[in-house]
C-alpha cells in the first residue's frame, strides 16, 4: 500500500479504527472465509460456529450493551464492528444482527433494568439465542396495524399471546427456523382497560431440547434468494401465556391488577418513541450495505485492471477493461458515491451515538429520518452497484466462487428489511414536511396525507411566498460568464440545496391543491407520491454531498485529499448529470451547461481511473474476504484456475 | 378470462399459437413444475428428465432442423417453443438451448449435409448431448482472438485440437460439466498453408462410459448465481486428434492434402458470415428474457392486487399495493415495455425466418444488428423488471417459493451470454454507422474506431450537412399552440426518430473530430463510447416503438386495441420521460412540456391500472408455471401458508 492509499485508509477508518482492525483480523481466519454452494444445514452449521467465535471475541453489536451485562457501553464500536463484519459472510452478519442488534437491542431499548439483568448477559454470550418477531404475513411496513395480541389476564398475572389467523403469523423472522429459544414479540396490548397499541414481550419459543414450546408453532421459511445461512421462519402463537414481568415495559407497563401506565400519554407518540429506539438497526444496515458495495467494487475494479479484451487500436496489445469508457461509467461514479455514503454514514453514527449517550428523545427523533433515508439510499446503491460489478466481470462474475453472486443475492433483501425503502423515504418526507414538529411525527407513515389539511402546509406556503419564491424568481439561466465552473464546491452545494428545497415546497403545494380539488386525502397524497419520494431522495443526496465535502476538508494528507476531491466532484456531477432533466426543467442549467456536465463527468472518469485500484485498496478489505480468484491478481488467478481444472470433472 | 383478455391473448400468440399451446400443456405437467432449493445433483437430474420428455414431444429448437433428420424445417416454431418454455424452469430452457439451439444449430449452420446426416438426428433425440465451446477464460466477446488451435496434420489426415494455456481453456460451457459427449469447438484453423482464422469442429469429449476422452480435461464450473440445473464447465484439450471430416466446413474446408478452400475469400468477411449464422441464439434469448419478465410481472401484479397495506385515508379499509402511485410506477411502465418488446420480437422472428428460408446472406446480415440490439435491450429490461417485481413483493418476494429469486438469478447472465450486452450494442452502432456497407461489416466489433478515418464518416457528414442539418435548424422550441398532444402517435414516432438520427450523426462527427485531435483511434473511439452505445440503444427503442404501434394497428378487437393504445402511449411517453434530459438539451421539448410528459405518464398509470390484471393474464402463463403462492389468489395463498405452517419446523 503506497503512502497515499494508507492515508486514505486511515481517513476512512475514522475513530473506530481499533475495532475495525480487530474484526479484519478475525476475517483473516479460515473459519470466516467466504463459502458458497453449501447445503443449507452445513451452511447454517458453519454460521453457528462463526457466531460462537464472534461472541467469544466480543466483536458484536453487544459492544453497545452496558458494561454490567457484558458490553462496553460503546454503541459506535458495536456498529463499526458490524460494518466491518460485512466484508465477510453476509449470512453471519445478519445472524449476528438479529441476535445482538435486534433481539438484544429490543430488550436493551424497550426493556428496563430488570430485563437487562435477566437477559442481556445471556444474549451477549449466546446462551439465549433469540428472534425479533415484528413482521407478520399481512403487515410488514404498517407496524401499527399488527394483529398478534397480548391480552393481560389478571387472574393469573400473565399475558396471553395469540395469533388470530394466518395473516397475523410472524414471518421472515431470523433465528426462528432453527436456533431461536426466545423472541421479542410485537403485539397489540390488551388489558381490562382496553387496547394500548403495539408493545413488545419476551416469549420463549423453544424448550431446552429445542422443541417448540406449548402453543407455539414454528415453520422454516424454506430457501431464499440469499442469506441461506440464516434460519428465517414463521411463528404462530395459540394462547401462549407469559408472565407479566416479560412485558418490555420502558414505555408502557401493566400493574398486577391490570392497570396500564405509561410515561408517554399519547398512544401514537408512544408508538413512535418505541420504534425510534430501533434506529440503530437501520443505521447498521446502511453501513453494512456500504461495506458489501465496497467488496463488489474491489473485485470488479481489480478484475477490470487485469482482464484485457480487444486489441482496439490494432497495436497488438489488448486494452484493460477498465480503460473502456463504458466500463469506467459502470464502476467509477458508483465508487465515488460509495465514498460519499461512507462519510455520510460516519456522521450518522456520530449523531446516533450522541443522541443515545444523552438519552435524548428529541435528538434521537432527529436522527431517525437520516437513518431511514441513508438506509434506503445506501441499500439501493448496493443492489445497483453489485449488479453492475457482476456484469462488469462477465461470465466469471456469474460463478459463485467469485463472490459477486452471493453478494448480490444476500444484499437484495436489504432494500426490504429494517423498513421497506419506499416506506422509509416517505418517513423522511414526512419529517421534512412537518419540520419534525411533534404533532406530526406521531402520524403513521402513510397517514402523511391526513395532515395535508393542517396548518403545516400553510406554514410551508408562507415560506414559499417569502424567501424561496424570491430566490426562485432570481434564478435565471446562468450565462457562461457567471459560470463559476462545474468543480466549484459552492456551486455544487447550491445546486443540491436548491433542488431539495424546491422539490419539498412544490410537493407541499401539490398536496394542498389536491386536497382542494378532490377533498380525498388518499388521492391527494397518492397523486403526488412520486414527487414526495423524490423530495426525500434528493434531501438525502444533499446530506451525503455535504458530508463528503466536509470529509474532504478534514483530510490532512494532500495527495489523499486530491484524490478525494476528484471523487467529490465525480459524486456531485454524476448525481447532477443523472438528474439533469430536473435542473433543465427548473431553469437551473442551460442545455449547453447540461452537455458540459456530461463531458465533465467523462473527463473525471479519466482522471479517477489511474487511482481506481488504490481507492478500493484503501477500503482495507482483507484478501481473505475478497477471496474471488478473478480479483487476486494474474498469477493467483491462474493458479486458482489450474487448481480447479485439476480437481477434474 | 374475459373476451377482451382473450382477444389480447390471441393477438399476442400470433402465428405460432399452436406450438405455444402445446408447450403450455407440457408446463402443466407436474414434472415441469418450478422447483427451488434442490441440491445440485437432484436439480440436474430433474432437468435431465425434463429434457428427455421435451425431446420426445419434439417441442424444441430442433423443430427448425430439416425434416429428413427429425426436424420440421420450421425455425419460427422452434423459437416460439423456446420462448414459451421460458415460462417454466430456466435451467431447462438453457439446457435445451445449448443442446438443440447452440450445439445442433452450429452443426446445422456451419456444417454441410454430411454433418447433418451424421449428427442431427442424434442431437434431436438426445442420443448425442453436446456443447457449444466458443468462449475461453481470456476471450469471450472478442471471438476473433480465441487461442485454441486446430492444426491440420496431412500425415494422418487429422486436426490436432489444442489449448495452449489456461487462458485459452473453454469456459462456462453448458453441458460440459456432466452430460456433454461432444462439443462444437471454435479454434484457430492452421494448415501447412498458414492460419485461416476461427473455424468450428465437432470434437468428442466423453466416451461411452462418460469418462473424459484422452487428452480432454473437464472441470465443473461449480455453483453459479443461478441456472444451477445446467452443468457448465471448463474444457481443455491436450493435442486431441479428430478426423478431417469433423471440421464444420460450410464456409471453409481442408482437403486431404492440407489445401484450404473457402467460398468466401476475405477472411474477415468469412468470420462474420460464420458468426452471423448464430443469430438464432440471440433472437431466442431475447424472446426468453421477455417471457421471464412476463412471469415476474404476472406474480407481482397479482400480488399487488390482493396485498393491502396502510389504511391510508383512515376509512378502515387498507389500500391494495397496486393502488399506490409508486407501486404503479415500479410495475406498469415495465409492463408496457414488455408488450412493446413482445411485438418487436415477433417482427424480428418473422424477419429471421424469411432470411434463413431464402438462405439470403444479405437479409441475414440485416437481421443481425436487430437481434443483437433487441437481445441487449430485452435482457437488461428483464434484469431491471424482475428486480422491481422482487422488491414490489417485499419479504415474500425474497422467498424462493415465490419464484422471483430464481427468475432474477437465472436471467442475470442473459445480459452476458450470447454476446455481452455492451458489445452487442456496439455491434448495432457499427451497423448504423456504416449503413451495413460490406467493407465495414467485416471489421471486428471494437475495431469500429479504425474505420473512423475512412470515407464513411465523410458520407455521414455530407448527410449531416444536407437534409439533417436543415432539419436540426428548423427544430425550434415547440410552442403550446403547435403541440399535437402527447398521445399523438405521429409526434411520438417523430421524437424517437429525431433522437435516433441526431445521436448517430453527432457520434460520427465526434469520432472524426477525435481522430483529428489525437490521431489515436482507440482514444478517439473510447472518448465517445457512451455516446455510441446511446445511439445504438435509442435506435432499438425506436424500432420497438414502431413495432408496438404496428401491432396495435393490427389488433381487430376494439376493446383489446384500446388497452394496447394505452400501453403504446405509456411505453412511448415513459421512454421519453426517462430520457427527457436529452430532449431538453436538444431543444425538442420545452421545460413545461417536459413536466407535462411526467404528468401524462402518471395519468396513464391510473388509466392502465384497472386493466393490469387482464394484461398479465393475456400472457397465457399456465397457473402451474406461475406457481408462486403469493400470486395464486387470496384463498390459495392462505391454504399454502397453512400447508407450510403445518409442515412444522
Amino acid at each position: 500500500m503506497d503512502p497515499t492509499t494508507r492515508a486514505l485508509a486511515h481517513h476512512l477508518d475514522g475513530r473506530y479504527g481499533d475495532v475495525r482492525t480487530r474484526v479484519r483480523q478475525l476475517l483473516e481466519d479460515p473459519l470466516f472465509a467466504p463459502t458458497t454452494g453449501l447445503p443449507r444445514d452445513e451452511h447454517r452449521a458453519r454460521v453457528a460456529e462463526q457466531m460462537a467465535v464472534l461472541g467469544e471475541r466480543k466483536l458484536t453489536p453487544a459492544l453497545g450493551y452496558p458494561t454490567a451485562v457484558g458490553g462496553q457501553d460503546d454503541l459506535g464500536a458495536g456498529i463499526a464492528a458490524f460494518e466491518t463484519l460485512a466484508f465477510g459472510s453476509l449470512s453471519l452478519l445478519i445472524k449476528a444482527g438479529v441476535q445482538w442488534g435486534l433481539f438484544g437491542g429490543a430488550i436493551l431499548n424497550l426493556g428496563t433494568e430488570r430485563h437487562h439483568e435477566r437477559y442481556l448477559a445471556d444474549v451477549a454470550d449466546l446462551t439465549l439465542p433469540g428472534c425479533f418477531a415484528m413482521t407478520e404475513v399481512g403487515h410488514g411496513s404498517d407496524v401499527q396495524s399488527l394483529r398478534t395480541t397480548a391480552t393481560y389476564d389478571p387472574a393469573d398475572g400473565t399475558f396471553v399471546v395469540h395469533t388470530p389467523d394466518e395473516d397475523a403469523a410472524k414471518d421472515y423472522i431470523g433465528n426462528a427456523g432453527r436456533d431461536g429459544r426466545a423472541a421479542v414479540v410485537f403485539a397489540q396490548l390488551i388489558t381490562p382497560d382496553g387496547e394500548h397499541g403495539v408493545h413488545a414481550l419476551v416469549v420463549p419459543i423453544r424448550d431446552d431440547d429445542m422443541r417448540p414450546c406449548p402453543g407455539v408453532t414454528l415453520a422454516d421459511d424454506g430457501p431464499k434468494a440469499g442469506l441461506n445461512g440464516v434460519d428465517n421462519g414463521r411463528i404462530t402463537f395459540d394462547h401462549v401465556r407469559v408472565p407479566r414481568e416479560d412485558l418490555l415495559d420502558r414505555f408502557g407497563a401493566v400493574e398486577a391488577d391490570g392497570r396500564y401506565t405509561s410515561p408517554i400519554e399519547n398512544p401514537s407518540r408512544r408508538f413512535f418513541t418505541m420504534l425510534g429506539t430501533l434506529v440503530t438497526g437501520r443505521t447498521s444496515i446502511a453501513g453494512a450495505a456500504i461495506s458489501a458495495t465496497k467488496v463488489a467494487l474491489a473485485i470488479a475494479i481489480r478484475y477490470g485492471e487485469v482482464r484485457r479484451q480487444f486489441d482496439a487500436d490494432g497495436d497488438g496489445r489488448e486494452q484493460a477493461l477498465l480503460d473502456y469508457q463504458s466500463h469506467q461509467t459502470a464502476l467509477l461514479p458508483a465508487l465515488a458515491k460509495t465514498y460519499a455514503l461512507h462519510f455520510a454514514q460516519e456522521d450518522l453514527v456520530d449523531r446516533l451515538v450522541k443522541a443515545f449517550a444523552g438519552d435524548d428523545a428529541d435528538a434521537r427523533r432527529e436522527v431517525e429520518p437520516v437513518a431511514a433515508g441513508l438506509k434506503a439510499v445506501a441499500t439501493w446503491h448496493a443492489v445497483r452497484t453489485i449488479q453492475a460489478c457482476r456484469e462488469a466481470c462477465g461470465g466469471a462474475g456469474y460463478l459463485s466462487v467469485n463472490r459477486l453472486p452471493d453478494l448480490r443475492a444476500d444484499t437484495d433483501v436489504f432494500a426490504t428489511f429494517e423498513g421497506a425503502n419506499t416506506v422509509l423515504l416517505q418517513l423522511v418526507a414526512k419529517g421534512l414536511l412537518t419540520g419534525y414538529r411533534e404533532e406530526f411525527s406521531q402520524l403513521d407513515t402513510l397517514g402523511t396525507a391526513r395532515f395535508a389539511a393542517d396548518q403545516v402546509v400553510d406554514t410551508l406556503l408562507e415560506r414559499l411566498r417569502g424567501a424561496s419564491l424570491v430566490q426562485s424568481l432570481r434564478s435565471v439561466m446562468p450565462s457562461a460568464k457567471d459560470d463559476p465552473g462545474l468543480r466549484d464546491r459552492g456551486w455544487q452545494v447550491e445546486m443540491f440545496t436548491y433542488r431539495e428545497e424546491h422539490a419539498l415546497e412544490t410537493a407541499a403545494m401539490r398536496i394542498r391543491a389536491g386536497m382542494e380539488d378532490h377533498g380525498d386525502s388518499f388521492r391527494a397524497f397518492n397523486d403526488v407520491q412520486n414527487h414526495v419520494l423524490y423530495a426525500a431522495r434528493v434531501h438525502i443526496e444533499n446530506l451525503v454531498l455535504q458530508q463528503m465535502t466536509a470529509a474532504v476538508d478534514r483530510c490532512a494528507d494532500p495527495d489523499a485529499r486530491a484524490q478525494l476531491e476528484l471523487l467529490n466532484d465525480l459524486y456531485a456531477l454524476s448525481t447532477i448529470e443523472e438528474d439533469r432533466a430536473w435542473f433543465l426543467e427548473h431553469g437551473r442549467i442551460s442545455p449547453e451547461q447540461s452537455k458540459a456536465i456530461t463531458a465533465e463527468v467523462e473527463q473525471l472518469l479519466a482522471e479517477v481511473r489511474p487511482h481506481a485500484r488504490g481507492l478500493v485498496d484503501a477500503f482495507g478489505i482483507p484478501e481473505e474476504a475478497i477471496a474471488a480468484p478473478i480479483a487476486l491478481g494474474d498469477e493467483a488467478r491462474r493458479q486458482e484456475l489450474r487448481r480447479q481444472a485439476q480437481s477434474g470433472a
Side-chain angles (χ1 to χ4, degrees), chain A:
Chain A
M1 220 184 247
D2 65 70
T4 307
T5 304
R6 204 157 38 232
L8 281 168
H10 183 74
H11 195 56
L12 284 164
D13 266 6
R15 74 176 82 241
Y16 301 106
D18 284 353
V19 71
R20 292 191 205 275
T21 301
R22 282 161 58 214
V23 176
R24 285 186 178 113
Q25 284 161 354
L26 197 71
L27 293 178
E28 290 169 7
D29 186 318
L31 174 63
F32 288 85
T35 51
T36 193
L38 290 181
R40 189 190 70 172
D41 291 341
E42 281 176 49
H43 194 179
R44 289 180 177 180
R46 184 175 167 89
V47 170
E49 216 182 324
Q50 294 166 337
M51 283 285 285
V53 175
L54 200 61
E56 235 168 66
R57 307 269 181 96
K58 297 184 190 295
L59 290 170
T60 77
L63 287 167
Y65 298 177
T67 38
V69 296
Q72 296 187 12
D73 247 329
D74 192 344
L75 176 60
I79 296 174
F82 188 78
E83 286 173 356
T84 313
L85 201 60
F87 288 151
S89 154
L90 295 177
S91 279
L92 169 63
L93 178 90
I94 297 307
K95 188 94 171 167
V98 166
Q99 173 67 16
W100 292 297
L102 293 175
F103 176 57
I107 294 172
L108 178 67
N109 290 304
L110 302 179
T112 48
E113 215 155 298
R114 175 166 43 104
H115 304 106
H116 300 173
E117 281 166 18
R118 173 150 179 217
Y119 290 117
L120 283 182
D122 288 354
V123 175
D125 73 4
L126 264 181
T127 309
L128 182 68
C131 314
F132 180 83
M134 180 183 270
T135 298
E136 297 175 356
V137 172
H139 288 97
S141 297
D142 186 3
V143 175
Q144 251 176 326
S145 301
L146 292 178
R147 294 181 46 252
T148 300
T149 51
T151 310
Y152 185 65
D153 181 355
D156 66 353
T158 62
F159 289 100
V160 181
V161 179
H162 186 63
T163 307
D165 56 44
E166 295 292 343
D167 247 26
K170 298 293 177 185
D171 205 2
Y172 322 116
I173 309 299
N175 254 351
R178 194 187 78 158
D179 295 331
R181 303 203 40 207
V184 169
V185 176
F186 290 79
Q188 301 289 349
L189 184 70
I190 304 169
T191 65
D193 306 346
E195 302 192 7
H196 307 283
V198 171
H199 287 64
L201 311 86
V202 181
V203 184
I205 60 169
R206 283 191 177 85
D207 64 19
D208 290 345
D209 301 322
M210 297 307 278
R211 284 175 309 214
C213 295
V216 176
T217 304
L218 300 167
D220 196 286
D221 272 332
K224 296 164 300 204
L227 299 177
N228 282 301
V230 183
D231 52 322
N232 293 80
R234 183 176 297 153
I235 314 176
T236 51
F237 301 99
D238 182 7
H239 300 92
V240 173
R241 287 183 182 259
V242 296
R244 185 174 65 92
E245 291 71 25
D246 279 332
L247 177 70
L248 296 172
D249 59 356
R250 178 173 169 200
F251 297 108
V254 175
E255 305 291 316
D257 62 4
R259 240 176 342 115
Y260 178 80
T261 61
S262 167
I264 306 175
E265 204 154 329
N266 181 316
S268 187
R269 192 174 153 212
R270 185 192 311 136
F271 171 75
F272 282 104
T273 304
M274 286 171 64
L275 279 201
T277 62
L278 308 173
V279 63
T280 306
R282 280 176 193 163
T283 304
S284 302
I285 289 301
I290 295 166
S291 295
T293 310
K294 288 174 181 171
V295 177
L297 282 168
I299 292 169
I301 283 174
R302 288 163 71 146
Y303 183 62
E305 289 226 313
V306 297
R307 176 66 145 83
R308 295 173 173 275
Q309 184 96 292
F310 288 111
D311 168 19
D313 53 3
D315 70 353
R317 197 180 48 98
E318 293 174 302
Q319 306 292 332
L321 294 187
L322 202 54
D323 288 331
Y324 290 102
Q325 189 185 56
S326 64
H327 213 81
Q328 294 167 5
T329 303
L331 299 179
L332 301 185
L335 176 65
K337 185 169 178 176
T338 304
Y339 264 81
L341 287 169
H342 173 100
F343 293 119
Q345 168 74 7
E346 188 177 35
D347 173 67
L348 166 62
V349 172
D350 281 351
R351 292 169 65 170
L352 185 78
V353 167
K354 273 183 209 130
F356 273 80
D359 194 19
D360 178 344
D362 284 343
R364 224 157 47 209
R365 209 168 305 144
E366 281 183 32
V367 172
E368 275 176 53
V370 181
L374 206 58
K375 186 270 183 185
V377 170
T379 56
W380 269 331
H381 175 64
V383 169
R384 276 174 62 170
T385 303
I386 299 172
Q387 177 66 21
C389 290
R390 200 302 286 158
E391 292 184 26
C393 294
Y398 198 65
L399 301 187
S400 302
V401 70
N402 289 319
R403 286 215 66 192
L404 295 165
D406 285 348
L407 277 169
R408 178 69 195 71
D410 290 344
T411 53
D412 189 356
V413 79
F414 284 29
T416 297
F417 66 23
E418 288 285 329
N421 282 357
T422 302
V423 176
L424 291 181
L425 285 184
Q426 292 192 168
L427 190 81
V428 173
K430 184 188 76 167
L432 293 172
L433 285 164
T434 58
Y436 310 112
R437 283 171 58 163
E438 195 159 303
E439 54 268 50
F440 298 103
S441 68
Q442 292 160 24
L443 290 171
D444 67 283
T445 312
L446 264 165
T448 310
R450 269 178 267 159
F451 73 82
D454 216 301
Q455 76 273 26
V456 178
V457 174
D458 291 316
T459 314
L460 276 165
L461 280 176
E462 271 163 43
R463 269 176 61 200
L464 188 64
R465 280 187 214 101
S468 310
L469 232 197
V470 174
Q471 195 190 333
S472 294
L473 292 172
R474 263 193 297 142
S475 86
V476 290
M477 283 304 210
S479 75
K481 214 182 66 184
D482 297 337
D483 186 356
L486 301 175
R487 300 199 193 187
D488 182 278
R489 205 67 69 215
W491 177 80
Q492 291 165 0
V493 171
E494 195 193 309
M495 293 284 279
F496 276 62
T497 303
Y498 176 82
R499 182 175 63 146
E500 171 184 345
E501 288 176 356
H502 190 87
L504 182 65
E505 285 158 0
T506 48
M509 275 185 10
R510 288 184 62 195
I511 292 174
R512 184 185 171 84
M515 291 293 295
E516 281 167 5
D517 286 0
H518 312 302
D520 168 346
S521 66
F522 173 69
R523 183 160 172 204
F525 178 75
N526 197 46
D527 283 355
V528 191
Q529 194 189 15
N530 286 341
H531 187 152
V532 165
L533 292 171
Y534 175 80
R537 183 168 62 76
V538 301
H539 165 73
I540 298 295
E541 285 178 354
N542 190 12
L543 181 151
V544 170
L545 177 69
Q546 293 182 15
Q547 291 307 324
M548 174 74 184
T549 299
V552 175
D553 285 345
R554 280 198 308 272
C555 182
D557 183 280
D559 293 331
R561 189 184 157 123
Q563 292 188 20
L564 291 175
E565 294 276 9
L566 287 178
L567 293 179
N568 197 349
D569 284 326
L570 183 53
Y571 170 66
L573 293 180
S574 61
T575 303
I576 293 173
E577 193 209 4
E578 207 174 16
D579 200 22
R580 64 198 197 283
W582 191 92
F583 291 102
L584 285 161
E585 283 173 351
H586 294 82
R588 292 300 291 183
I589 56 173
S590 66
E592 290 64 36
Q593 240 180 336
S594 182
K595 292 181 194 172
I597 289 167
T598 299
E600 193 75 7
V601 167
E602 289 174 351
Q603 172 60 31
L604 279 164
L605 296 178
E607 291 177 37
V608 170
R609 191 261 171 268
H611 309 300
R613 173 65 196 256
L615 286 165
V616 294
D617 286 350
F619 294 146
I621 307 164
E623 292 292 289
E624 291 79 358
I626 289 201
I630 53 167
L632 295 180
D634 245 355
E635 196 35 50
R637 184 163 71 95
R638 276 173 221 282
Q639 277 175 18
E640 173 64 25
L641 295 175
R642 216 162 286 136
R643 194 190 59 70
Q644 282 178 26
Q646 281 156 4
S647 76

